[in-house]
Amino acid sequence: MGSIRDSMLRTDDEATPLKKKLDEFGTFLAKVIAGICVLVWIVNIGHFRDPAHGGFLRGAIHYFKIAVALAVAAIPEGLPAVVTTCLALGTKRMARLNAIVRSLPSVETLGCTTVICSDKTGTLTTNMMSVSKICVVHSIKNGPEVAEFGVSGTTYAPEGFIFDNTGVQLEFPAQLPCLLHIAMCSALCNESLLQYNPDKGNYEKIGESTEVALRVLAEKVGLPGFDSMPSALNMLSKHERASYCNHYWENQFKKVSVLEFSRDRKMMSVLCNHKQMEIMFSKGAPESIISRCTNILCNNDGSTIPMDATLRAELDSRFNSFAGKETLRCLALALKIMPMGQQILSFDDEKDLTFIGLVGMLDPPREEVRNAMISCMTAGIRVIVVTGDNKSTAESVCRKIGAFDHLVDYVGHSYTAAEFEELPGTQQTMALQRMALLTRVEPSHKRMLVEALQNQNEVVAMTGDGVNDAPALKKADIGVAMGSGTAVAKSASDMVLADDNFATIVAAVAEGRAIYNNTKQFIRYMISSNIGEVVCIFVAAVLGIPDTLAPVQLLWVNLVTDGLPATAIGFNKPDSDVMKAKPRKVSEAVVSGWLFFRYLVIGAYVGLATVAGFIWWFIYSETGPKLPYTELMNFDTCPTRETTYPCSIFEDRHPSTVAMTVLVVVEMFNALNNLSENQSLLVIPPWSNLWLVASIILTMLLHILILYVPPLSTLFSVTSLSWNEWAVILYLSFPVIIIDEVLKFFSRNSHGIRFNFRFRRYDALPKKELRDK
C-alpha cells in the first residue's frame, strides 16, 4: 500500500492541452493588445496639441483613455467564465451517458485521445460470469478418455442443469466423483458471496465474478446422497436457495488456513479439516495448476491415477480448445491430502496435486462494443485490450467483439506481458505502434504501458478498477475508473464509468471532441467580436472622427451582449462527422492560421460596419446633421472656426447609439455563424440550438431596455432609435452571415490550404513544444 501511495505521489499532475493553449493564448493576446494600445497612442501624438483638448498633456491623457478603451475592447473578459461553463455543461451531458467526470479540464482532453487501453473483463464484456463447460478425465482403461459436460444458465441465479456430451441431462450430478469434488472445491476455495435481493428480484454477487460463478456451479451440481435433491432444493425460498449447497460444504469442511491468490503463482489454496482428515483444495490458471499435478481423479470410479505426458497433453489440448475456439475463461481445480494435524499452508505445499477438472466460464461480450470499436477505428483512435486472461482466450474474445476486424493475423499485434518485456528496446517501440492486445498483465505493466505510449507522443486513456491500478490511472492522460471498482482507483482517476461499459468511453470521447469544437466556436465568436471592437476604435482614431463607443458601452457589449450567446454556443450539438476526424494533435493551436484569417475578416467587417453606422448618422441620416465628411474629420477644430451647425452635434447620443446597436446586432448574426465551424446555416439551422436563439432574443431585449428606459439610457449614454435607423442597422449587420458562409465554403472545399503557407509560422497560438504531455 505504501509503495502504491509513493508511486502516485511521484506522478505529477500535467496541465491539460486546452489549459496550456489558453495560457499561451492569453500571453499572446496580452502582448498583441499592449502593442496595439501603444501604437494607437503613438499614431495620435500629432493630435495631442489640438485646441479641443486644451493642451498637450490633456491631449495625451485623452488618447491614453482611448488606448485603455481599446484594451477593454480587445480583452475577452467573459472567456474564463464561458470556458468553465462549457466544460461544466459537458460534464452534465456526460453524466447522463454514465461517465462521471471528476476533473473538469479532463473533459476536453478526451477529445484528443489517441489510444484507449481498455480492460477486457467487465468493460468489453458483461462480467456476468457463468460456468458453461466442465472437462474431467473419465478413465484411462482404453487410453485417456476425457469427458465434457455442459452447464445451462447464464446468470447468477442457481437455476440450471448439467448435461453430458450427448446432451442428456444428468439427474444426479453429485453422484459422479469429479463433479462432486468440483462442487466441494468451488464452494470452499472461494471468498465471494451469492445472495438474493428481494427489492430488485434478482441474485447479486459480492466479490469476484469468477468466484461467484463457481458458487453458482456448486448449487447446480447439488448434494450427494439424496434422491429427491433437485425437487427438494426447488422448495426452498430464494433467499435460502442462493447458497444452500455452499453452506452445506462449508459446514462439513472447516477452513483452517488460506493461501491467497497471487499473480506470480496464479492460484489460490485453502486447507480444510473434515472428520480428522486434512485436505487442501486449489484453484487457478490451468497452466499453473496442471504443471503442479502428479495425479488425476477419475470420474468413472473415483480412483486416483498418476498423471503422464499423454494425459497432460490431452488436458492442454482441451484447455486450448476452451480458451481459443469457445472463448471461455478457464480455471483448473485440484486437491491434495495433507498430513494429519497440519494447521498452516506454505507455497511449498502447492505441489504433487491431484487434478479434479477444468471449468470454462462464459463472459458474454457487450453487444454495443462492436459498434464502439468501429467508431474508434473511424475516429483514428487505437484500442489496446489489456487483460490478465490467457492469450488465446483474450484473442478469441477480441475476435468476437471486433477488436481485430482490421487485422489479417495476430502476429505482431498480440503479446503477453512477459513476451513484451523480453523484447529489445527498438522492437518494443515497433511493437507498441502495432499492439492491439496485451495479456497476462499485472498492474505494474499498465503503468509501464502508459509511460511507453506517452513517450511516443500518444494521448492515453487507461481503465482500471483495483488499488494496484491507481498509479497507472494517475499517470495516464485520462484515468478511467470502473463504477464497481475500489475507492482508491476512483480517487486516482479523472473519470468514473458508472456502468463499466467500453461504449461509454467512446461516447465520452465524442462528447470531449464536441466540447472542444464548441470551445473553439465561442473563442472564435468572442475574439472575432473583440477584433471588431478594436478595428472600430482603431479606424476611428486613424480617420480622426469622434469616439464611436464609450468605455462603458464596450463593457456592456463584452460582458452582457457577448457573454450570453457565447455561453449558449456551449449547447451546440456535435457535428455529424465528429467521430470521423482523426484526433487533433496536442500541440495544435486553438486558433490555426486559416481560422485566424477568418477571425480577421469577420472582425474587420464587424469593426467597419460599426464605424459605417456611426458615420452614416452624421452624413446620411434624415434625423442627423448631414455633414460633409471633411467636417466630420475636423470635428476637433469646430470651436475655433465658423460653422453652419452647432458644435454640440458631436456630443449627440444618436451616432454612438447607432454604432453600438450595429455592433450588438452584427454580433448576434455572428453568433449564428458559430453553430458550426464549417457547416452552412442551411445544414445546421438556428433552431438546432434553441438555447442560442433564446440567448439572442434575451440579449436584444436587454439592449432595447437600455435604449428605451431613461435611467439606463443615461447611464450608458444612448438614446432611442427610429424605424429608419433600425432598418439601416439590419442592412449593415446581415452581410456578416454571407461573408462567413463564403469562408465556410472555402474551408469545406480547400481546408484553407491557400492560406496555410502564410500563417504556418505565425499561428495565433505559438507552438512552443512538440510534446505537451
Side-chain angles (χ1 to χ4, degrees), residues 553 649 651-658 710 713-715 717-719:
Q553 293 171 340
I649 198 70
E651 295 173 10
D652 196 298
R653 293 180 185 176
H654 272 93
S656 64
T657 304
V658 170
S713 60
T714 305
L715 177 65
S717 301
V718 292
T719 188

Side-chain angles (χ1 to χ4, degrees), residues 511-635:
E511 190 63 44
R513 290 186 173 194
I515 287 167
Y516 179 74
N517 289 344
N518 287 350
T519 304
K520 266 208 311 188
Q521 287 305 98
F522 65 63
I523 288 175
R524 174 191 163 197
Y525 168 68
M526 295 187 85
I527 298 303
S528 58
S529 299
N530 285 30
I531 289 173
E533 293 165 22
V534 170
V535 168
C536 166
I537 292 170
F538 188 78
V539 168
V542 169
L543 294 179
I545 61 176
D547 299 339
T548 49
L549 296 168
V552 68
Q553 293 171 340
L554 285 170
L555 278 173
W556 171 260
V557 171
N558 275 1
L559 292 176
V560 182
T561 59
D562 279 3
L564 290 174
T567 305
I569 287 168
F571 288 93
N572 281 353
K573 291 181 179 178
D575 289 348
S576 56
D577 59 352
V578 72
M579 286 298 279
K580 293 179 183 175
K582 301 297 178 190
R584 64 185 177 83
K585 294 178 181 177
V586 178
S587 57
E588 179 186 299
V590 175
V591 184
S592 63
W594 167 245
L595 204 57
F596 188 55
F597 174 78
R598 283 172 60 179
Y599 284 1
L600 289 177
V601 172
I602 296 296
Y605 180 78
V606 169
L608 292 173
T610 304
V611 173
F614 185 84
I615 294 173
W616 169 84
W617 188 85
F618 277 107
I619 298 177
Y620 300 108
S621 174
E622 294 297 327
T623 57
K626 294 190 176 181
L627 299 177
Y629 180 66
T630 51
E631 289 293 319
L632 185 60
M633 286 184 66
N634 295 313
F635 79 97

Side-chain angles (χ1 to χ4, degrees), residues 384-705:
I384 299 178
V385 180
V386 180
T387 178
D389 274 5
N390 171 272
K391 188 175 181 180
S392 49
T393 305
E395 286 179 352
S396 300
V397 171
C398 287
R399 196 183 302 115
K400 259 189 179 181
I401 62 177
F404 286 166
D405 283 358
H406 61 297
L407 304 178
V408 178
D409 58 51
Y410 308 144
V411 178
H413 299 283
S414 174
Y415 297 89
T416 65
E419 288 170 352
F420 181 73
E421 283 185 313
E422 288 170 4
L423 292 174
T426 52
Q427 288 185 32
Q428 276 193 358
T429 303
M430 292 174 65
L432 274 173
Q433 293 170 357
R434 304 179 64 204
M435 185 184 290
L437 175 65
L438 190 64
T439 54
R440 290 301 186 203
V441 168
E442 296 180 18
S444 59
H445 294 132
K446 285 188 172 183
R447 183 182 169 109
M448 172 204 72
L449 181 63
V450 169
E451 288 178 345
L453 287 167
Q454 287 178 335
N455 288 337
Q456 294 190 359
N457 296 341
E458 303 282 7
V459 179
V460 186
M462 170 64 79
T463 66
D465 55 4
V467 173
N468 289 341
D469 292 329
L473 294 176
K474 186 84 171 173
K475 180 67 178 169
D477 299 293
I478 293 289
V480 183
M482 301 297 114
S484 59
T486 60
V488 176
K490 290 175 187 175
S491 67
S493 68
D494 300 293
M495 188 172 82
V496 178
L497 298 185
D499 58 358
D500 296 6
N501 195 337
F502 177 80
T504 303
I505 303 176
V506 180
V509 169
E511 190 63 44
R513 290 186 173 194
I515 287 167
Y516 179 74
N517 289 344
N518 287 350
T519 304
K520 266 208 311 188
Q521 287 305 98
F522 65 63
I523 288 175
R524 174 191 163 197
Y525 168 68
M526 295 187 85
I527 298 303
S528 58
S529 299
N530 285 30
I531 289 173
E533 293 165 22
V534 170
V535 168
C536 166
I537 292 170
F538 188 78
V539 168
V542 169
L543 294 179
I545 61 176
D547 299 339
T548 49
L549 296 168
V552 68
Q553 293 171 340
L554 285 170
L555 278 173
W556 171 260
V557 171
N558 275 1
L559 292 176
V560 182
T561 59
D562 279 3
L564 290 174
T567 305
I569 287 168
F571 288 93
N572 281 353
K573 291 181 179 178
D575 289 348
S576 56
D577 59 352
V578 72
M579 286 298 279
K580 293 179 183 175
K582 301 297 178 190
R584 64 185 177 83
K585 294 178 181 177
V586 178
S587 57
E588 179 186 299
V590 175
V591 184
S592 63
W594 167 245
L595 204 57
F596 188 55
F597 174 78
R598 283 172 60 179
Y599 284 1
L600 289 177
V601 172
I602 296 296
Y605 180 78
V606 169
L608 292 173
T610 304
V611 173
F614 185 84
I615 294 173
W616 169 84
W617 188 85
F618 277 107
I619 298 177
Y620 300 108
S621 174
E622 294 297 327
T623 57
K626 294 190 176 181
L627 299 177
Y629 180 66
T630 51
E631 289 293 319
L632 185 60
M633 286 184 66
N634 295 313
F635 79 97
D636 49 354
T637 60
C638 179
T640 63
R641 55 191 174 85
E642 290 186 11
T643 58
T644 57
Y645 55 87
C647 292
S648 60
I649 198 70
F650 296 114
E651 295 173 10
D652 196 298
R653 293 180 185 176
H654 272 93
S656 64
T657 304
V658 170
M660 181 184 177
T661 306
V662 168
L663 183 59
V664 169
V665 174
V666 79
E667 288 183 6
M668 295 306 101
F669 283 125
N670 193 29
L672 294 176
N673 286 334
N674 287 278
L675 282 165
S676 171
E677 184 177 328
N678 294 318
Q679 294 294 332
S680 168
L681 277 172
L682 300 174
V683 176
I684 301 179
W687 51 88
S688 65
N689 185 347
L690 293 176
W691 288 101
L692 181 59
V693 174
S695 72
I696 290 172
I697 292 170
L698 179 59
T699 300
M700 289 309 301
L701 288 174
L702 289 171
H703 185 67
I704 289 167
L705 192 69

Side-chain angles (χ1 to χ4, degrees), residues 728-745:
V728 171
I729 287 165
L730 288 173
Y731 285 138
L732 288 171
S733 303
F734 186 77
V736 76
I737 286 184
I738 298 170
I739 293 168
D740 202 53
E741 285 292 312
V742 172
L743 293 171
K744 284 181 179 179
F745 176 79

Side-chain angles (χ1 to χ4, degrees), residues 152-183:
S152 65
T154 57
T155 66
Y156 293 135
E159 302 158 0
F161 304 99
I162 297 176
F163 304 86
D164 63 18
N165 54 7
T166 62
V168 177
Q169 181 184 330
L170 301 183
E171 196 171 351
F172 304 110
Q175 290 180 354
L176 297 175
C178 284
L179 293 183
L180 176 64
H181 284 83
I182 283 173

Side-chain angles (χ1 to χ4, degrees), residues 128 156-157 195-205 238:
M128 184 73 76
Y156 293 135
Q195 60 186 22
Y196 182 73
N197 186 331
D199 296 331
K200 295 182 180 178
N202 60 13
Y203 291 89
E204 291 182 341
K205 70 181 180 82
K238 289 188 174 181

